[in-house]
Amino acid sequence: MSVEMAELQKKNGIPPIQFGEEVSGAETLLRCLILEQVEYIFGYPGGAVLPIYDSLYGSYFKHILTRHEQGAIHAADGYARATGKPGVCIATSGPGATNLVTGIATAQMDSVPLVCITGNVAQSLIGTDAFQEANITGITIPITKHSYFVRDIRDLPRIVKEAFHIATTGRPGPVLIDIPKDVANAKAPFTYPDKVEIRGYRASLVPSDEEVQGFVKAVSEAKRPVILAGGGIIAAQAEKELRDFAEKTRIPVINTFMGLGGFSGTHELSLAMPGMHGNYTANQALLNADCVIGLGARFDDRITMGRTKEFAPKARIVHVDIDPAELGKNVETAVTVAGDVKSTLAKAIPLAKACDSEAWISQLKEWQEQYPYKYKKDGDVLKPQAVIELLYNSTDGEAIVTTDVGQHQMWTAQYYKFKHPRSFISSGGLGTMGFGFPAAIGAQIAHPDRTVISVVGDGGFQMTNQELAIVSQYNIPVKVAIVNNQCLGMVRQWQELFYDNRYSQIDLTCSPDFVKLAEAYGVKGLRASTPEEAEAVWAEALAHDGPVVVDFRVAQEENVYPMVASGNTLDQMELGDD
Amino acid sequence: MQQHTISVLVNDQPGVLTRVATLFGQRGFNIDSITVGGTEEQGLSRMIISTGGDDRQINQLMKQLHKLIDVISVTNLSENPFVSRELALIKVTASPSQLAELNGIVEPFRAAIVDVGPSSLIVQVTGDTEKIDALLVLLQSYGVIELTRTGAVAMARSIVPATAAATV
Ligand SMILES: Cc1ncc(C[n+]2csc(CCOP(=O)(O)OP(=O)(O)O)c2C)c(N)n1
């Protein structure tokens, strides 16, 4: 064993590991995970992973037994997004493995580092349609960063080492390791490689000085510049560099949905979120800018509306991304830097000068004052936007907030001003309903002392609400805020606007009593139907030392505005109905 | 839309071809032909892929290919002079009495008759796509019973330093 590793073990208080000792594949795997400093495993057992679960018995790991594999992988994902460390989940072969698919695709779309371990049937049975056999590496090829099928126990340590390296470096993403049962049961002397060598893999990309000079020059010439800061800022831990760069150059910052928290929403240069449900100012900034600087943002069609020719029509686009394939993929760029945003900005800051942008900034401020996010208050009716404002005000924007998918997700992105990276956790790319609640569990496990709020719709919550068992069993103090409009709100909105009020299959009035449901799991349940009740009940929830489910009964017909309808461009923005 | 010949050096691993083919499908590219085989180095395979697209699309395709962990390098051979060869086997309706006549057609193409049967024979030809197409036209009048051809195998010409070709 290397000296490095021995020190690592001592420092982290992990059990001593004997190198060269003859152990099983299952034990080998767990030792590798220890050496990768994994602490939590989210999973669900089954026949093909029994050797691994047997090795887990009484081991050092904290294993969280979710009630569905989808819960396990979303929780591992939430853990990863909240910490930046890789999330780890285990599932059995066949149905266990296929239950991970939605979570893997979710992580891939949002570049989240995950290591997913699946069992498979013994190699002698592979290809025979054996009981619970599924070709999970084949199924997941398009939705993983990489995957492995382990044929020989002697390859396992190298594969685990590579898997963690690939998941966490470059543009992060999910990696799957499929281990057949005979490999888990086989025995070999334990070893673990010190280094990873993967030919052709670019783990990090530090841009050259010339590239950075080109970037700074393009930016400094702008009079109406704007930064479009994406999830890459958070992945690269570049929030400080971004702030320094924006302040020094006097360039306002738009946070993409995935970038929320990467630049404080309360900063004077913050323009908040653009796009389909973004605000007027952010979209006007893109329409009128002479230079758009994409930093770890991928020009998603929820921002460009897929109308890439009409997107930022007056601007030269400058793009920095760790994934070279993103450069020029969606929009035409004038200047590109293939590199890590953190090192690019760190190199750029000393060279950068303030832009001549004050007139532009005051124009943007004017728009911000004129067109803030707004909604109509209505006496005793509880408005969903008011719920989010309540969450924001009561936590001073310091909580970790996860959301599910739908209207409540957009209102959270609009009305909760995220100040810190990794405090907003939501499925952006895939838009996965059922993600929010288990992700909150993962985030809370990672940060037991912080307030973690899971904002969910009454629809999406019912996709994974069985994980209430987990918050109860492990006393995970997540505060679940159900924005309950008794319908699939976002679908209702589209049907109202684009399908002539033909409300097809959105009625959720026959949902369980969420307070009783919570109580059935041994979790505190509360309900509020008016603004006054909401305040009182929410204060009680925050004060409660343990998990709580709050059923906020909100106005059903509320729509998310502003809105740019699909097929329209950013200048065709509807501001709302008041 | 332009035809491009891309050379992809990959780890010789099970599933690599699936990964490459899946990527083409996933990203909306078409594979016109693909050949895979060994290389000068053990453990590596080279794929030669013909595909169509404008410069922007091919650039994007090359970058996407390079994201695959098992892909070591990606080169667009079409950017510089390169040699490209296909092999075709063509079974033609003919009796042994027509052998001389057919030999006369095949010879200028440096092709060869590699099998003779009572009512058919097999012509083997190597060369670039156009040459094989040209021979096929001539043989068509005899009646082509069966045709099988490989995709192109290709290599940059040695006058071009290997690094001159666009590589990601
Ligand atoms: C797994 C999945 N299925 C379907 C959808 C499509 N979809 C997007 S938003 C939405 C409605 C969500 O309703 P609800 O959870 O009640 O939240 P609300 O919009 O009311 O806030 C649906 C069905 C999705 N995003 N994910």
Side-chain angles (χ1 to χ4, degrees):
Chain A
M1 171 170 47
S2 72
V3 181
E4 237 169 89
M5 251 173 218
E7 270 171 12
L8 186 98
Q9 284 180 40
K10 222 162 66 202
K11 193 176 90 212
N12 293 293
I14 55 183
I17 289 175
Q18 286 290 312
F19 278 53
E21 191 185 350
E22 181 110 333
V23 293
S24 71
E27 177 65 26
T28 301
L29 170 73
L30 295 183
R31 289 181 174 202
C32 297
L33 296 183
I34 287 177
L35 293 171
E36 287 300 327
Q37 308 189 49
V38 172
E39 204 179 337
Y40 286 96
I41 298 175
F42 302 86
Y44 208 97
V49 285
L50 277 180
I52 297 172
Y53 273 84
D54 185 59
S55 294
L56 262 175
Y57 188 73
S59 80
Y60 147 91
F61 288 104
K62 298 173 194 117
H63 179 280
I64 308 291
L65 175 68
T66 55
R67 296 303 186 261
H68 190 298
E69 287 87 354
Q70 194 176 352
I73 187 162
H74 290 329
D77 181 318
Y79 177 90
R81 292 189 206 222
T83 58
K85 292 194 268 183
V88 176
C89 63
I90 299 185
T92 192
S93 66
T98 54
N99 272 346
L100 296 180
V101 167
T102 301
I104 295 173
T106 303
Q108 168 85 348
M109 287 287 265
D110 290 345
S111 308
V112 177
L114 287 188
V115 175
C116 307
I117 294 150
T118 51
N120 211 328
V121 299
Q123 288 185 81
S124 56
L125 293 171
I126 292 272
T128 65
D129 298 325
F131 178 64
Q132 296 196 327
E133 184 194 352
N135 174 8
I136 194 65
T137 43
I139 290 169
T140 56
I141 281 176
I143 53 168
T144 46
K145 185 169 172 190
H146 194 51
S147 56
Y148 294 93
F149 178 78
V150 186
R151 279 156 210 281
D152 187 328
I153 181 176
R154 285 167 301 181
D155 295 333
L156 189 54
R158 172 186 57 82
I159 286 174
V160 177
K161 181 96 186 167
E162 285 182 7
F164 276 87
H165 180 70
I166 292 169
T168 53
T169 53
R171 180 177 185 169
V175 178
L176 181 122
I177 307 175
D178 195 28
I179 306 175
K181 199 169 180 178
D182 56 305
V183 170
N185 280 327
K187 288 207 156 189
F190 181 73
T191 60
Y192 201 58
D194 283 333
K195 275 202 216 79
V196 201
E197 268 163 57
I198 307 169
R199 231 170 121 175
Y201 175 64
R202 290 177 286 199
S204 69
L205 274 177
V206 176
S208 65
D209 292 347
E210 294 77 63
E211 271 180 294
V212 175
Q213 280 155 11
F215 166 73
V216 170
K217 182 164 177 290
V219 168
S220 66
E221 288 162 0
K223 295 212 157 34
R224 299 186 313 279
V226 64
I227 291 170
L228 187 67
I233 296 293
I234 295 162
Q237 298 179 9
E239 62 277 1
K240 187 185 172 304
E241 287 78 3
L242 173 59
R243 195 179 57 234
D244 290 352
F245 182 74
E247 286 173 355
K248 187 166 182 196
T249 55
R250 297 295 295 161
I251 304 180
V253 180
I254 297 175
N255 286 310
T256 70
F257 179 83
M258 289 305 297
L260 290 173
F263 185 78
S264 174
T266 56
H267 193 286
E268 54 128 0
L269 288 170
S270 168
L271 301 183
M273 186 175 76
M276 179 178 273
H277 291 299
N279 66 80
Y280 180 85
T281 310
N283 284 347
Q284 284 299 320
L286 289 169
L287 288 165
N288 291 290
D290 62 354
C291 182
V292 172
I293 305 147
L295 299 177
R298 62 192 177 91
F299 296 93
D300 182 74
D301 59 273
R302 291 283 134 145
I303 294 175
T304 65
M305 307 310 295
R307 302 274 297 261
T308 50
K309 292 274 174 302
E310 292 99 332
F311 171 76
K314 300 170 187 163
R316 300 175 77 203
I317 295 180
V318 177
H319 194 182
V320 182
D321 205 288
I322 191 145
D323 179 356
E326 286 303 334
L327 305 172
K329 184 178 95 175
N330 292 339
V331 291
E332 249 176 69
T333 46
V335 178
T336 60
V337 179
D340 160 49
V341 263
K342 189 182 176 86
S343 49
T344 305
L345 290 179
K347 279 185 161 195
I349 289 165
L351 308 176
K353 287 193 295 279
C355 292
D356 178 13
S357 59
E358 292 312 316
W360 169 239
I361 291 173
S362 45
Q363 165 72 78
L364 293 167
K365 288 224 163 95
E366 225 167 88
W367 280 330
Q368 274 180 319
E369 269 156 43
Q370 224 174 326
Y371 304 101
Y373 289 124
K374 64 175 196 288
Y375 63 96
K376 231 195 272 175
K377 300 207 164 78
D378 185 7
D380 252 6
V381 180
L382 182 57
K383 290 294 182 84
Q385 301 91 330
V387 172
I388 309 298
E389 283 181 326
L390 173 62
L391 306 185
Y392 174 67
N393 292 328
S394 62
T395 54
D396 196 25
E398 295 290 336
I400 295 176
V401 180
T402 78
T403 79
D404 211 73
V405 173
Q407 292 182 314
H408 67 279
Q409 177 189 34
M410 290 302 131
W411 285 316
T412 305
Q414 293 178 339
Y415 288 90
Y416 200 102
K417 294 188 195 71
F418 293 94
K419 298 184 200 168
H420 310 291
R422 307 196 180 282
S423 59
F424 175 61
I425 293 173
S426 189
S427 166
L430 200 66
T432 308
M433 281 173 77
F435 169 83
F437 177 45
I441 295 173
Q444 183 80 78
I445 284 171
H447 297 289
D449 299 329
R450 290 187 61 182
T451 302
V452 176
I453 304 171
S454 167
V455 184
V456 293
D458 46 330
F461 185 51
Q462 291 186 65
M463 287 197 176
T464 45
N465 67 14
Q466 74 281 357
E467 305 307 343
L468 279 168
I470 305 303
V471 294
S472 179
Q473 180 177 354
Y474 301 98
N475 195 32
I476 299 166
V478 169
K479 315 295 176 207
V480 181
I482 307 176
V483 180
N484 187 350
N485 50 14
Q486 301 190 40
C487 66
L488 295 171
M490 189 56 101
V491 178
R492 201 207 67 91
Q493 174 165 349
W494 283 51
Q495 288 172 342
E496 178 190 323
L497 300 177
F498 311 118
Y499 293 88
D500 204 16
N501 294 24
R502 287 157 59 85
Y503 295 128
S504 178
Q505 307 303 323
I506 53 148
D507 181 12
L508 295 180
T509 45
C510 186
S511 293
D513 177 328
F514 289 114
V515 173
K516 284 192 181 150
L517 180 74
E519 286 166 359
Y521 280 102
V523 170
K524 188 181 178 79
L526 297 167
R527 175 168 294 128
S529 306
T530 64
E532 226 167 75
E533 280 172 15
E535 274 204 39
V537 154
W538 183 245
E540 188 181 344
L542 283 182
H544 178 65
D545 184 21
V548 189
V549 173
V550 184
D551 183 21
F552 289 107
R553 294 299 189 106
V554 299
Q556 196 167 3
E557 303 77 28
E558 208 62 16
N559 286 339
V560 184
Y561 286 113
M563 177 171 193
V564 182
S566 294
N568 283 351
T569 52
L570 291 182
D571 56 345
Q572 294 163 296
M573 181 171 213
E574 283 172 59
L575 287 171
D577 41 14
D578 64 338
Chain B
M1 195 158 89
Q2 235 186 312
Q3 209 53 32
H4 290 261
T5 302
I6 313 283
S7 173
V8 189
L9 191 64
V10 299
N11 284 320
D12 180 11
Q13 284 272 343
V16 174
L17 183 58
T18 315
R19 286 181 203 275
V20 170
T22 302
L23 186 142
F24 272 75
Q26 186 181 0
R27 301 284 173 185
F29 290 94
N30 190 36
I31 297 177
D32 295 323
S33 89
I34 183 166
T35 63
V36 191
T39 63
E40 65 283 0
E41 192 180 326
Q42 225 193 346
L44 300 186
S45 298
R46 185 168 279 112
M47 298 183 178
I48 302 293
I49 304 172
S50 310
T51 184
D54 59 31
D55 286 353
R56 206 190 64 83
Q57 289 168 323
I58 294 301
N59 207 342
Q60 172 66 12
L61 171 68
M62 289 174 66
K63 288 174 177 174
Q64 292 292 348
L65 277 170
H66 204 273
K67 281 173 71 170
L68 297 178
I69 305 293
D70 281 319
V71 167
I72 289 160
S73 69
V74 186
T75 310
N76 186 354
L77 295 173
S78 313
E79 308 240 298
N80 287 293
F82 70 105
V83 180
S84 170
R85 294 287 180 273
E86 270 179 58
L87 165 71
L89 294 174
I90 311 160
K91 191 180 281 172
V92 183
T93 316
S95 62
S97 64
Q98 290 172 290
L99 202 55
E101 178 189 334
L102 271 154
N103 255 325
I105 294 178
V106 160
E107 221 161 73
F109 289 86
R110 291 178 199 271
I113 292 168
V114 293
D115 180 63
V116 182
S119 60
S120 72
L121 49 80
I122 298 175
V123 175
Q124 167 195 304
V125 57
T126 57
D128 58 25
T129 308
E130 291 74 32
K131 174 178 156 185
I132 293 171
D133 288 347
L135 178 58
L136 254 179
V137 170
L138 292 178
L139 294 177
Q140 221 92 49
S141 59
Y142 291 84
V144 172
I145 303 167
E146 197 179 333
L147 163 71
T148 173
R149 59 200 283 183
T150 65
V153 292
M155 197 177 265
R157 284 192 183 277
S158 53
I159 38 168
V160 185
T163 48
T167 303
V168 288

